[in-house]
Amino acid sequence: MSEVTREAQGPVFGRRDPDARGYYGQYGGRFVPETLVAPIEELTAAYFTVRSDEGFCTELRRLLRDYVGRPTPLYEAHRLTASAGGARIVLKREDLAHTGAHKINNALGQALLAVRMVKRRIVAETGAGQHGVATATVCALLGLECHVYMGSEDMARQSLNVFRMRLLGADVIEVKAGSRTLKDAINEAMRDWVTNVTDTYYLLGSVLGPHPYPLMVREFQSVIGREARAQCLDQLGRLPDAVVACVGGGSNAMGIFDAFIDDRQTRLIGVEAGGRSISPGEHAARFAGGSAGVLQGTRSFVLQDPDGNVELTHSISAGLDYASVGPEHAFLRESGRAEYTWIDDGDALAAFQRLGREEGILPALESSHAIAHACRLAPTLPATAILLVNLSGRGDKDVLSVQAALEKR
Protein backbone atom coordinates (compact mmCIF):
# COMPACT_ATOMS: atom_id res chain seq x y z
CA MET A 1 0.00 0.00 0.00
CA SER A 2 1.41 3.40 -0.93
CA GLU A 3 2.11 6.02 1.72
CA VAL A 4 -0.59 8.34 0.35
CA THR A 5 -3.26 5.59 0.50
CA ARG A 6 -2.24 4.57 4.02
CA GLU A 7 -2.62 8.17 5.25
CA ALA A 8 -6.04 8.43 3.63
CA GLN A 9 -7.52 5.80 5.97
CA GLY A 10 -7.40 7.86 9.15
CA PRO A 11 -9.59 10.79 10.16
CA VAL A 12 -8.02 14.22 9.76
CA PHE A 13 -9.83 16.87 11.74
CA GLY A 14 -9.81 20.64 11.88
CA ARG A 15 -9.80 21.68 8.23
CA ARG A 16 -11.91 24.70 7.35
CA ASP A 17 -13.82 25.07 10.59
CA PRO A 18 -16.77 27.46 10.58
CA ASP A 19 -16.50 30.59 12.70
CA ALA A 20 -16.96 30.47 16.45
CA ARG A 21 -20.75 30.68 16.11
CA GLY A 22 -20.85 27.80 13.61
CA TYR A 23 -21.35 29.89 10.46
CA TYR A 24 -20.01 29.28 6.96
CA GLY A 25 -20.39 32.80 5.61
CA GLN A 26 -24.06 33.63 6.28
CA TYR A 27 -25.13 29.98 6.62
CA GLY A 28 -25.12 27.69 9.64
CA GLY A 29 -25.33 28.72 13.28
CA ARG A 30 -27.55 27.39 16.03
CA PHE A 31 -31.30 27.91 16.21
CA VAL A 32 -32.49 25.75 19.08
CA PRO A 33 -34.82 25.93 22.09
CA GLU A 34 -33.34 26.96 25.41
CA THR A 35 -33.49 23.37 26.66
CA LEU A 36 -30.96 22.29 24.01
CA VAL A 37 -28.38 25.04 24.54
CA ALA A 38 -26.56 23.21 27.34
CA PRO A 39 -26.63 19.77 25.62
CA ILE A 40 -25.24 21.26 22.41
CA GLU A 41 -22.49 23.06 24.32
CA GLU A 42 -21.65 19.75 26.00
CA LEU A 43 -21.59 18.02 22.60
CA THR A 44 -19.38 20.73 21.10
CA ALA A 45 -16.86 20.51 23.91
CA ALA A 46 -16.76 16.72 23.71
CA TYR A 47 -16.32 16.72 19.94
CA PHE A 48 -13.50 19.26 19.90
CA THR A 49 -11.78 17.18 22.59
CA VAL A 50 -11.97 13.81 20.81
CA ARG A 51 -10.92 15.07 17.41
CA SER A 52 -7.47 15.85 18.84
CA ASP A 53 -7.40 12.68 20.98
CA GLU A 54 -5.06 10.12 19.40
CA GLY A 55 -6.75 7.25 21.26
CA PHE A 56 -10.15 8.15 19.79
CA CYS A 57 -8.69 8.61 16.30
CA THR A 58 -6.83 5.30 16.49
CA GLU A 59 -9.97 3.42 17.53
CA LEU A 60 -12.04 5.03 14.78
CA ARG A 61 -9.31 4.34 12.21
CA ARG A 62 -9.17 0.68 13.26
CA LEU A 63 -12.92 0.16 13.05
CA LEU A 64 -13.17 1.94 9.69
CA ARG A 65 -10.59 -0.51 8.37
CA ASP A 66 -11.57 -3.77 10.08
CA TYR A 67 -15.33 -3.35 10.54
CA VAL A 68 -16.49 -0.97 7.81
CA GLY A 69 -14.08 -2.32 5.19
CA ARG A 70 -12.22 0.84 4.25
CA PRO A 71 -10.71 1.94 2.00
CA THR A 72 -13.55 1.39 -0.46
CA PRO A 73 -12.34 0.88 -4.06
CA LEU A 74 -12.12 3.29 -6.98
CA TYR A 75 -13.57 1.64 -10.09
CA GLU A 76 -13.41 2.86 -13.67
CA ALA A 77 -16.76 2.15 -15.38
CA HIS A 78 -15.47 1.29 -18.88
CA ARG A 79 -18.75 0.11 -20.38
CA LEU A 80 -20.70 3.07 -19.01
CA THR A 81 -17.98 5.39 -20.30
CA ALA A 82 -18.15 3.85 -23.78
CA SER A 83 -21.94 4.07 -23.79
CA ALA A 84 -22.08 7.69 -22.62
CA GLY A 85 -19.18 8.86 -24.76
CA GLY A 86 -16.65 11.52 -23.82
CA ALA A 87 -15.07 11.64 -20.37
CA ARG A 88 -13.95 8.63 -18.35
CA ILE A 89 -16.46 7.85 -15.58
CA VAL A 90 -14.88 6.61 -12.35
CA LEU A 91 -16.89 5.45 -9.32
CA LYS A 92 -15.99 5.77 -5.64
CA ARG A 93 -17.60 2.57 -4.34
CA GLU A 94 -19.20 3.60 -1.03
CA ASP A 95 -21.86 1.01 -1.84
CA LEU A 96 -19.28 -1.62 -0.83
CA ALA A 97 -18.91 -0.29 2.73
CA HIS A 98 -20.53 -2.34 5.51
CA THR A 99 -24.33 -1.81 5.56
CA GLY A 100 -24.24 -0.66 1.92
CA ALA A 101 -23.73 3.10 2.07
CA HIS A 102 -21.53 5.94 3.26
CA LYS A 103 -23.76 6.47 6.31
CA ILE A 104 -21.74 4.00 8.40
CA ASN A 105 -18.70 6.37 8.49
CA ASN A 106 -20.56 9.07 10.41
CA ALA A 107 -22.67 6.71 12.51
CA LEU A 108 -19.56 4.97 13.78
CA GLY A 109 -17.76 8.21 14.61
CA GLN A 110 -20.70 9.69 16.48
CA ALA A 111 -21.45 6.44 18.34
CA LEU A 112 -17.87 6.34 19.60
CA LEU A 113 -18.30 9.96 20.70
CA ALA A 114 -21.53 9.04 22.53
CA VAL A 115 -19.64 6.32 24.43
CA ARG A 116 -17.01 8.90 25.43
CA MET A 117 -19.81 11.15 26.67
CA VAL A 118 -21.33 8.25 28.65
CA LYS A 119 -24.58 8.45 26.70
CA ARG A 120 -25.94 4.92 26.32
CA ARG A 121 -29.28 5.78 24.67
CA ILE A 122 -29.15 6.79 20.99
CA VAL A 123 -31.89 8.48 18.97
CA ALA A 124 -31.67 9.01 15.23
CA GLU A 125 -33.79 9.88 12.21
CA THR A 126 -33.79 8.22 8.82
CA GLY A 127 -35.31 8.79 5.37
CA ALA A 128 -34.08 6.11 2.99
CA GLY A 129 -33.30 3.92 5.99
CA GLN A 130 -29.54 3.69 5.43
CA HIS A 131 -28.65 6.04 8.27
CA GLY A 132 -31.07 4.11 10.47
CA VAL A 133 -29.46 0.82 9.50
CA ALA A 134 -25.98 2.25 10.08
CA THR A 135 -27.01 3.61 13.49
CA ALA A 136 -28.63 0.32 14.50
CA THR A 137 -25.49 -1.48 13.36
CA VAL A 138 -23.05 0.58 15.42
CA CYS A 139 -25.36 0.47 18.44
CA ALA A 140 -25.33 -3.32 18.22
CA LEU A 141 -21.53 -3.25 17.91
CA LEU A 142 -21.08 -0.99 20.94
CA GLY A 143 -23.97 -2.24 23.10
CA LEU A 144 -26.05 0.94 22.94
CA GLU A 145 -29.83 1.38 23.13
CA CYS A 146 -31.15 2.49 19.72
CA HIS A 147 -34.35 4.36 18.74
CA VAL A 148 -34.86 5.40 15.11
CA TYR A 149 -37.61 7.77 13.96
CA MET A 150 -38.89 7.27 10.42
CA GLY A 151 -41.81 8.76 8.50
CA SER A 152 -44.60 6.35 7.59
CA GLU A 153 -44.24 7.27 3.90
CA ASP A 154 -40.57 6.30 4.00
CA MET A 155 -41.31 3.16 6.03
CA ALA A 156 -43.64 2.00 3.25
CA ARG A 157 -41.12 2.53 0.44
CA GLN A 158 -38.14 1.30 2.49
CA SER A 159 -39.72 -1.68 4.25
CA LEU A 160 -36.60 -3.82 3.81
CA ASN A 161 -34.48 -1.34 5.76
CA VAL A 162 -37.14 -1.15 8.48
CA PHE A 163 -36.86 -4.92 8.91
CA ARG A 164 -33.04 -4.72 8.88
CA MET A 165 -33.08 -2.13 11.67
CA ARG A 166 -35.37 -4.30 13.79
CA LEU A 167 -33.21 -7.37 13.18
CA LEU A 168 -30.28 -5.34 14.50
CA GLY A 169 -32.20 -4.59 17.70
CA ALA A 170 -33.40 -1.05 17.02
CA ASP A 171 -36.75 0.36 18.02
CA VAL A 172 -38.16 1.87 14.79
CA ILE A 173 -40.75 4.54 15.61
CA GLU A 174 -43.27 5.47 12.92
CA VAL A 175 -43.88 9.20 12.38
CA LYS A 176 -47.33 9.98 10.98
CA ALA A 177 -47.19 13.78 11.22
CA GLY A 178 -46.75 16.26 8.37
CA SER A 179 -45.47 14.84 5.09
CA ARG A 180 -44.43 11.65 6.95
CA THR A 181 -40.90 11.86 5.53
CA LEU A 182 -37.41 12.86 6.69
CA LYS A 183 -38.26 16.39 7.90
CA ASP A 184 -40.91 15.02 10.26
CA ALA A 185 -38.63 12.22 11.48
CA ILE A 186 -36.00 14.84 12.42
CA ASN A 187 -38.66 16.83 14.32
CA GLU A 188 -39.61 13.81 16.41
CA ALA A 189 -36.01 12.76 17.06
CA MET A 190 -35.21 16.26 18.31
CA ARG A 191 -38.29 16.24 20.56
CA ASP A 192 -37.08 12.97 22.05
CA TRP A 193 -33.63 14.45 22.64
CA VAL A 194 -35.10 17.52 24.37
CA THR A 195 -37.08 15.26 26.67
CA ASN A 196 -34.22 12.89 27.53
CA VAL A 197 -31.08 15.02 27.37
CA THR A 198 -29.41 13.49 30.42
CA ASP A 199 -28.77 10.00 29.05
CA THR A 200 -29.52 10.43 25.32
CA TYR A 201 -27.28 11.22 22.35
CA TYR A 202 -28.87 12.47 19.11
CA LEU A 203 -27.01 10.85 16.22
CA LEU A 204 -27.88 13.16 13.32
CA GLY A 205 -27.35 11.62 9.90
CA SER A 206 -26.36 14.48 7.60
CA VAL A 207 -24.55 17.83 7.45
CA LEU A 208 -27.63 19.53 8.89
CA GLY A 209 -28.87 20.86 12.20
CA PRO A 210 -27.22 23.22 14.68
CA HIS A 211 -23.45 23.59 15.00
CA PRO A 212 -21.40 21.40 15.52
CA TYR A 213 -23.38 18.79 13.54
CA PRO A 214 -22.61 20.08 10.00
CA LEU A 215 -18.90 20.24 10.83
CA MET A 216 -18.84 16.96 12.74
CA VAL A 217 -20.70 14.93 10.11
CA ARG A 218 -18.59 16.38 7.30
CA GLU A 219 -15.40 15.48 9.12
CA PHE A 220 -16.52 11.91 9.82
CA GLN A 221 -17.43 11.59 6.12
CA SER A 222 -14.24 13.28 4.87
CA VAL A 223 -12.53 9.88 4.77
CA ILE A 224 -14.34 9.37 1.43
CA GLY A 225 -12.63 12.33 -0.21
CA ARG A 226 -9.19 11.64 1.27
CA GLU A 227 -9.28 8.09 -0.03
CA ALA A 228 -10.65 9.11 -3.42
CA ARG A 229 -8.05 11.82 -3.93
CA ALA A 230 -5.20 9.47 -3.06
CA GLN A 231 -6.66 6.71 -5.26
CA CYS A 232 -7.02 9.06 -8.24
CA LEU A 233 -3.36 9.97 -7.96
CA ASP A 234 -2.31 6.34 -7.51
CA GLN A 235 -4.54 4.73 -10.16
CA LEU A 236 -5.17 7.48 -12.70
CA GLY A 237 -2.05 9.57 -12.28
CA ARG A 238 -3.88 12.84 -11.69
CA LEU A 239 -6.88 14.49 -10.07
CA PRO A 240 -10.34 14.33 -11.66
CA ASP A 241 -11.71 17.16 -13.79
CA ALA A 242 -15.00 17.00 -11.84
CA VAL A 243 -16.43 15.32 -8.74
CA VAL A 244 -20.15 14.54 -8.91
CA ALA A 245 -22.33 13.56 -5.93
CA CYS A 246 -26.03 13.54 -5.09
CA VAL A 247 -27.22 16.04 -2.47
CA GLY A 248 -30.06 15.51 -0.03
CA GLY A 249 -28.86 16.87 3.29
CA GLY A 250 -25.49 16.54 1.62
CA SER A 251 -23.20 14.34 3.75
CA ASN A 252 -21.88 12.09 1.01
CA ALA A 253 -21.22 15.10 -1.21
CA MET A 254 -19.44 17.07 1.54
CA GLY A 255 -17.49 13.92 2.39
CA ILE A 256 -16.05 13.57 -1.11
CA PHE A 257 -15.84 17.32 -1.90
CA ASP A 258 -13.79 17.99 1.24
CA ALA A 259 -10.44 16.72 -0.05
CA PHE A 260 -10.76 18.63 -3.34
CA ILE A 261 -11.77 22.07 -2.03
CA ASP A 262 -8.30 23.52 -2.59
CA ASP A 263 -7.90 21.88 -6.03
CA ARG A 264 -9.44 24.67 -8.06
CA GLN A 265 -8.99 22.82 -11.34
CA THR A 266 -11.47 20.17 -10.12
CA ARG A 267 -15.14 21.12 -10.45
CA LEU A 268 -17.43 20.12 -7.57
CA ILE A 269 -20.96 19.29 -8.73
CA GLY A 270 -23.89 18.50 -6.44
CA VAL A 271 -27.01 16.88 -7.88
CA GLU A 272 -30.38 17.49 -6.22
CA ALA A 273 -33.72 15.77 -6.71
CA GLY A 274 -35.80 17.36 -9.48
CA GLY A 275 -38.74 15.07 -8.66
CA ARG A 276 -41.68 15.31 -11.04
CA SER A 277 -41.12 18.96 -11.97
CA ILE A 278 -39.60 22.16 -10.58
CA SER A 279 -42.83 23.45 -9.09
CA PRO A 280 -43.90 23.71 -5.42
CA GLY A 281 -44.38 20.34 -3.76
CA GLU A 282 -43.10 18.38 -6.75
CA HIS A 283 -39.33 18.32 -6.14
CA ALA A 284 -36.52 18.69 -3.58
CA ALA A 285 -34.09 20.91 -5.53
CA ARG A 286 -33.44 23.61 -2.95
CA PHE A 287 -31.13 25.65 -5.17
CA ALA A 288 -33.64 25.55 -8.02
CA GLY A 289 -36.67 26.68 -6.04
CA GLY A 290 -35.62 27.66 -2.54
CA SER A 291 -34.39 30.69 -0.62
CA ALA A 292 -32.34 31.42 2.49
CA GLY A 293 -34.13 30.46 5.68
CA VAL A 294 -33.95 28.54 8.94
CA LEU A 295 -35.05 24.94 9.35
CA GLN A 296 -34.34 22.48 12.15
CA GLY A 297 -31.53 24.34 13.82
CA THR A 298 -29.56 25.89 10.97
CA ARG A 299 -29.71 28.66 8.38
CA SER A 300 -29.40 27.41 4.83
CA PHE A 301 -31.42 27.18 1.61
CA VAL A 302 -34.98 26.00 2.22
CA LEU A 303 -37.97 25.21 0.01
CA GLN A 304 -40.50 27.65 1.46
CA ASP A 305 -43.32 29.90 0.36
CA PRO A 306 -43.13 33.74 0.50
CA ASP A 307 -44.41 33.65 4.09
CA GLY A 308 -41.66 31.29 5.21
CA ASN A 309 -43.83 28.17 5.45
CA VAL A 310 -41.87 25.04 4.54
CA GLU A 311 -43.15 23.49 1.32
CA LEU A 312 -43.85 19.82 0.73
CA THR A 313 -41.19 17.97 -1.23
CA HIS A 314 -41.10 14.98 -3.54
CA SER A 315 -38.45 12.63 -4.88
CA ILE A 316 -38.46 9.04 -6.07
CA SER A 317 -35.53 8.77 -3.66
CA ALA A 318 -36.43 8.87 0.04
CA GLY A 319 -32.93 10.02 0.98
CA LEU A 320 -33.13 13.18 -1.16
CA ASP A 321 -36.70 14.06 -0.16
CA TYR A 322 -35.94 16.94 2.21
CA ALA A 323 -36.75 20.66 2.21
CA SER A 324 -33.33 22.01 3.22
CA VAL A 325 -29.66 21.38 2.50
CA GLY A 326 -26.51 21.49 4.60
CA PRO A 327 -25.31 25.06 5.29
CA GLU A 328 -21.80 24.41 3.97
CA HIS A 329 -23.33 23.48 0.60
CA ALA A 330 -25.14 26.83 0.56
CA PHE A 331 -21.82 28.53 1.31
CA LEU A 332 -19.92 26.61 -1.39
CA ARG A 333 -22.57 27.54 -3.94
CA GLU A 334 -22.61 31.22 -2.95
CA SER A 335 -18.81 31.40 -3.01
CA GLY A 336 -18.74 29.78 -6.45
CA ARG A 337 -16.57 26.83 -5.38
CA ALA A 338 -19.31 24.25 -6.04
CA GLU A 339 -22.12 24.14 -8.60
CA TYR A 340 -25.50 22.46 -8.23
CA THR A 341 -27.97 20.99 -10.68
CA TRP A 342 -30.90 18.60 -10.55
CA ILE A 343 -32.09 15.34 -12.09
CA ASP A 344 -35.76 14.37 -12.29
CA ASP A 345 -37.33 11.07 -11.22
CA GLY A 346 -37.44 9.66 -14.74
CA ASP A 347 -33.75 10.21 -15.46
CA ALA A 348 -32.75 8.85 -12.06
CA LEU A 349 -34.81 5.72 -12.69
CA ALA A 350 -33.20 5.31 -16.11
CA ALA A 351 -29.72 5.69 -14.60
CA PHE A 352 -30.52 3.03 -11.98
CA GLN A 353 -31.30 0.57 -14.78
CA ARG A 354 -28.44 1.69 -16.99
CA LEU A 355 -25.69 1.15 -14.43
CA GLY A 356 -27.12 -2.28 -13.66
CA ARG A 357 -27.19 -3.35 -17.29
CA GLU A 358 -23.86 -1.85 -18.31
CA GLU A 359 -21.72 -2.42 -15.20
CA GLY A 360 -23.55 -5.01 -13.11
CA ILE A 361 -24.00 -2.48 -10.28
CA LEU A 362 -27.38 -1.45 -8.88
CA PRO A 363 -26.94 2.03 -7.36
CA ALA A 364 -29.14 3.53 -4.68
CA LEU A 365 -31.79 5.81 -6.14
CA GLU A 366 -29.99 8.68 -4.41
CA SER A 367 -26.73 7.83 -6.21
CA SER A 368 -28.64 7.29 -9.46
CA HIS A 369 -29.14 11.06 -9.63
CA ALA A 370 -25.35 11.52 -9.69
CA ILE A 371 -24.93 8.75 -12.28
CA ALA A 372 -27.58 10.37 -14.49
CA HIS A 373 -25.82 13.73 -14.41
CA ALA A 374 -22.42 12.16 -15.09
CA CYS A 375 -23.87 10.46 -18.18
CA ARG A 376 -25.30 13.82 -19.28
CA LEU A 377 -22.03 15.68 -18.64
CA ALA A 378 -19.54 13.14 -20.03
CA PRO A 379 -20.34 13.67 -23.75
CA THR A 380 -19.64 17.40 -23.38
CA LEU A 381 -16.06 16.72 -22.24
CA PRO A 382 -13.03 15.29 -24.04
CA ALA A 383 -12.17 11.60 -23.75
CA THR A 384 -9.13 12.53 -21.65
CA ALA A 385 -11.30 14.11 -18.94
CA ILE A 386 -12.10 12.23 -15.72
CA LEU A 387 -15.46 12.35 -13.93
CA LEU A 388 -15.35 11.00 -10.37
CA VAL A 389 -18.82 9.98 -9.16
CA ASN A 390 -19.54 9.16 -5.53
CA LEU A 391 -21.61 5.98 -5.63
CA SER A 392 -22.88 6.67 -2.13
CA GLY A 393 -24.98 3.52 -1.68
CA ARG A 394 -26.23 0.34 -3.27
CA GLY A 395 -29.69 -0.18 -4.66
CA ASP A 396 -30.85 -3.34 -2.87
CA LYS A 397 -33.09 -1.21 -0.66
CA ASP A 398 -34.74 0.37 -3.73
CA VAL A 399 -35.50 -2.67 -5.87
CA LEU A 400 -39.17 -2.90 -4.85
CA SER A 401 -39.64 0.87 -5.28
CA VAL A 402 -38.07 0.68 -8.73
CA GLN A 403 -40.25 -2.28 -9.63
CA ALA A 404 -43.38 -0.38 -8.58
CA ALA A 405 -42.28 2.76 -10.49
CA LEU A 406 -41.56 0.81 -13.66
CA GLU A 407 -44.89 -1.02 -13.50
CA LYS A 408 -46.69 2.30 -13.02
CA ARG A 409 -44.87 3.79 -16.01
Side-chain angles (χ1 to χ4, degrees):
M1 183 182 295
S2 71
E3 186 63 31
V4 71
T5 304
R6 194 159 46 239
E7 187 277 336
Q9 291 183 10
V12 177
F13 296 116
R15 295 185 66 240
R16 299 188 338 278
D17 283 2
D19 69 18
R21 300 179 304 143
Y23 277 87
Y24 303 88
Q26 63 171 313
Y27 303 106
R30 291 175 176 166
F31 297 83
V32 296
E34 186 67 28
T35 50
L36 281 183
V37 171
I40 287 178
E41 290 289 355
E42 178 190 17
L43 171 63
T44 304
Y47 174 66
F48 278 94
T49 297
V50 301
R51 75 173 188 170
S52 60
D53 184 305
E54 186 53 39
F56 179 90
C57 293
T58 298
E59 184 177 14
L60 177 57
R61 194 179 296 122
R62 176 183 65 81
L63 287 171
L64 286 171
R65 182 192 67 220
D66 299 338
Y67 188 71
V68 175
R70 306 207 69 89
T72 57
L74 202 70
Y75 169 72
E76 185 161 0
H78 291 286
R79 280 174 46 80
L80 184 65
T81 295
S83 170
R88 299 160 67 184
I89 300 175
V90 179
L91 309 178
K92 177 58 172 165
R93 297 291 307 275
E94 288 301 290
D95 60 311
L96 295 180
H98 182 42
T99 71
H102 71 291
K103 293 292 188 180
I104 189 73
N105 306 318
N106 168 59
L108 181 60
Q110 287 200 60
L112 290 174
L113 175 58
V115 171
R116 287 292 188 99
M117 296 177 68
V118 198
K119 307 281 188 179
R120 308 300 300 182
R121 181 178 182 272
I122 305 297
V123 295
E125 83 298 325
T126 196
Q130 285 302 126
H131 175 58
V133 169
T135 301
T137 298
V138 298
C139 285
L141 172 69
L142 299 174
L144 303 173
E145 182 183 337
C146 182
H147 304 269
V148 180
Y149 288 87
M150 190 172 189
S152 55
E153 175 74 15
D154 292 337
M155 289 182 72
R157 56 182 170 176
Q158 296 293 336
S159 58
L160 175 61
N161 273 346
V162 173
F163 188 53
R164 290 173 73 193
M165 285 183 269
R166 288 172 172 157
L167 284 174
L168 291 161
D171 174 25
V172 183
I173 304 159
E174 182 178 7
V175 178
K176 299 179 180 179
S179 60
R180 301 170 296 162
T181 56
L182 181 58
K183 173 177 68 70
D184 312 291
I186 293 174
N187 283 339
E188 293 305 315
M190 292 190 79
R191 286 192 186 101
D192 186 319
W193 187 27
V194 168
T195 306
N196 302 286
V197 292
T198 303
D199 65 345
T200 296
Y201 182 96
Y202 178 25
L203 206 161
L204 183 57
S206 196
V207 285
L208 301 164
H211 176 66
Y213 281 108
L215 168 65
M216 182 166 60
V217 176
R218 182 251 285 168
E219 290 199 320
F220 285 135
Q221 293 293 2
S222 67
V223 65
I224 305 171
R226 290 197 308 279
E227 286 179 3
R229 192 179 189 281
Q231 289 165 329
C232 283
L233 293 172
D234 282 352
Q235 296 174 219
L236 308 174
R238 67 180 183 87
L239 297 179
D241 295 272
V243 179
V244 182
C246 65
V247 179
S251 64
N252 90 90
M254 280 311 313
I256 198 165
F257 287 177
D258 185 68
F260 298 93
I261 293 288
D262 296 330
D263 301 307
R264 294 286 171 166
Q265 72 275 30
T266 298
R267 294 167 64 187
L268 304 178
I269 305 172
V271 185
E272 298 186 286
R276 290 181 285 254
S277 67
I278 303 300
S279 55
E282 296 295 302
H283 69 99
R286 286 64 48 100
F287 295 126
S291 57
V294 174
L295 181 63
Q296 294 177 325
T298 193
R299 187 174 193 271
S300 186
F301 251 61
V302 181
L303 289 171
Q304 56 189 344
D305 66 21
D307 296 321
N309 300 306
V310 177
E311 293 177 346
L312 295 176
T313 56
H314 163 77
S315 173
I316 193 172
S317 159
L320 303 186
D321 196 353
Y322 183 62
S324 187
V325 66
E328 193 170 3
H329 281 293
F331 171 72
L332 289 176
R333 176 179 178 267
E334 185 171 278
S335 67
R337 181 60 191 96
E339 55 196 274
Y340 295 83
T341 185
W342 52 268
I343 287 290
D344 66 24
D345 287 351
D347 285 344
L349 190 60
F352 181 99
Q353 298 170 85
R354 182 175 188 173
L355 193 64
R357 290 169 179 166
E358 296 182 0
E359 293 291 347
I361 300 170
L362 294 178
L365 279 171
E366 291 80 10
S367 310
S368 298
H369 288 69
I371 294 292
H373 183 68
C375 290
R376 179 181 294 174
L377 180 61
T380 71
L381 300 174
T384 55
I386 297 171
L387 289 181
L388 173 60
V389 181
N390 195 19
L391 194 68
S392 57
R394 61 176 175 253
D396 306 36
K397 67 183 179 62
D398 294 317
V399 168
L400 293 179
S401 295
V402 169
Q403 181 183 30
L406 291 175
E407 287 174 353
K408 185 179 297 185
R409 285 170 182 262

